[in-house]
Amino acid sequence: MFLTELRVEADKDSDMCYTLISGGCGEVSVMAPTIHERNNWLKKIAIAQKHISDTERSILHRQQSKEKELSIMGRVLVTVMAGVSLSERQNEVRARRPQGLLRTHILSGTKLDSWGKGMLQSFCEVSLGSQAHRTSIATSPHPKWDSTMQFLVKSLSEDVLCITVYEKGYFKPNEFLGRTEIKIHQIYEESRSEPGAQPQLHKLRLHEVKSGEVILKISLQLFDRCRMSKHHS
């Protein structure tokens, strides 16, 4: 049952009973041990419904403010029609021999776009192809996530490390705070030009938001250096 769709009806035959009604889930009859307990439950339901309503209005207001601030000129409607040869492509990627191991240490974020809310409870979703990890949650507009993760590199030329920052939503969807990425080929080239500079320190600007950066350390270990040298020669 969703609180936004919930209606409460009193039971005509008992002061300690009431019915929860939801369009999608039907009806549920509830009986409290005392009238006081019943009133307390109903009060908590009403408070939770008001909280959700206020939260939804706040999210809508922030979205409208962001559109105005970022000078958004319109929207794009995308209709996903179909997929072609998905299983073949997936099996091809899985069959590839890993070319290396990418160790990633997500250190911190700076100047996250909090839109005047002050403290943020934020985290990062980090992915490389189908591999995905999540950092710890940190409470600050300048969070220190200090999370380490590893990824198998299947293609030096194609793989991209993607980082998306979210504000944790406990009674609402997680809110987007920006995204950034770095190509594995770029990491490889920098490691070749400066062999002793691992792990590399990167400060990546967040996109699609007003401000924000992610600071991380990255080190790339290749499994077959001879083959990689021939591939890039």
Side-chain angles (χ1 to χ4, degrees):
M1 286 187 172
F2 293 97
L3 281 172
T4 52
E5 303 173 355
L6 197 64
R7 290 190 299 111
V8 181
E9 287 190 0
D11 192 305
K12 298 179 180 178
D13 301 322
S14 173
D15 292 335
M16 292 184 293
C17 297
Y18 57 93
T19 303
L20 302 177
I21 304 172
S22 171
C25 301
E27 301 181 0
V28 177
S29 297
V30 182
M31 183 175 70
T34 64
I35 295 177
H36 174 75
E37 195 73 16
R38 186 206 69 167
N39 293 338
N40 193 33
W41 289 355
L42 294 178
K43 182 179 179 181
K44 288 182 177 180
I45 290 174
I47 291 173
Q49 286 180 318
K50 183 178 184 303
H51 175 76
I52 290 178
S53 177
D54 292 344
T55 299
E56 288 179 342
R57 280 197 298 270
S58 176
I59 291 174
L60 179 60
H61 176 70
R62 287 203 297 272
Q63 287 175 342
Q64 292 172 342
S65 298
K66 286 182 179 180
E67 290 178 0
K68 185 177 180 181
E69 182 73 25
L70 298 174
S71 300
I72 295 176
M73 301 175 64
R75 298 179 185 272
V76 176
L77 175 64
V78 179
T79 303
V80 181
M81 303 298 293
V84 179
S85 303
L86 296 181
S87 59
E88 289 86 345
R89 173 62 177 169
Q90 186 180 43
N91 291 335
E92 177 189 337
V93 173
R94 287 180 176 176
R96 289 180 181 174
R97 179 185 175 187
Q99 296 182 355
L101 181 68
L102 186 74
R103 293 186 175 89
T104 306
H105 186 185
I106 308 295
L107 295 170
S108 59
T110 61
K111 303 176 183 177
L112 296 188
D113 191 359
S114 63
W115 290 91
K117 290 187 291 184
M119 289 295 104
L120 288 174
Q121 290 191 314
S122 62
F123 66 93
C124 297
E125 285 188 355
V126 188
S127 63
L128 183 71
S130 61
Q131 307 165 79
H133 295 283
R134 183 179 285 195
T135 69
S136 58
I137 297 174
T139 304
S140 170
H142 308 286
K144 297 185 183 302
W145 294 299
D146 194 23
S147 296
T148 303
M149 53 202 70
Q150 296 185 154
F151 300 92
L152 289 174
V153 176
K154 296 294 185 73
S155 172
L156 288 176
S157 59
E158 297 179 12
D159 283 355
V160 179
L161 183 71
C162 302
I163 303 172
T164 306
V165 184
Y166 293 98
E167 178 188 6
K168 178 64 178 176
Y170 292 96
F171 301 103
K172 60 179 181 178
N174 296 325
E175 185 168 352
F176 177 78
L177 295 177
R179 64 167 188 84
T180 189
E181 62 184 37
I182 183 170
K183 296 179 179 180
I184 303 305
H185 181 71
Q186 176 186 339
I187 298 170
Y188 173 69
E189 290 298 333
E190 291 186 16
S191 67
R192 290 183 68 193
S193 61
E194 298 183 55
Q198 293 223 58
Q200 302 171 14
L201 180 65
H202 291 270
K203 182 181 288 188
L204 305 178
R205 183 184 179 280
L206 292 173
H207 303 292
E208 299 181 37
V209 288
K210 189 168 58 175
S211 64
E213 294 176 327
V214 173
I215 302 171
L216 66 158
K217 288 183 178 180
I218 302 175
S219 59
L220 177 63
Q221 175 190 351
L222 298 181
F223 296 148
D224 189 344
R225 290 186 180 278
C226 294
R227 184 162 60 90
M228 292 301 99
S229 297
K230 292 178 182 178
H231 176 74
H232 288 275
S233 60

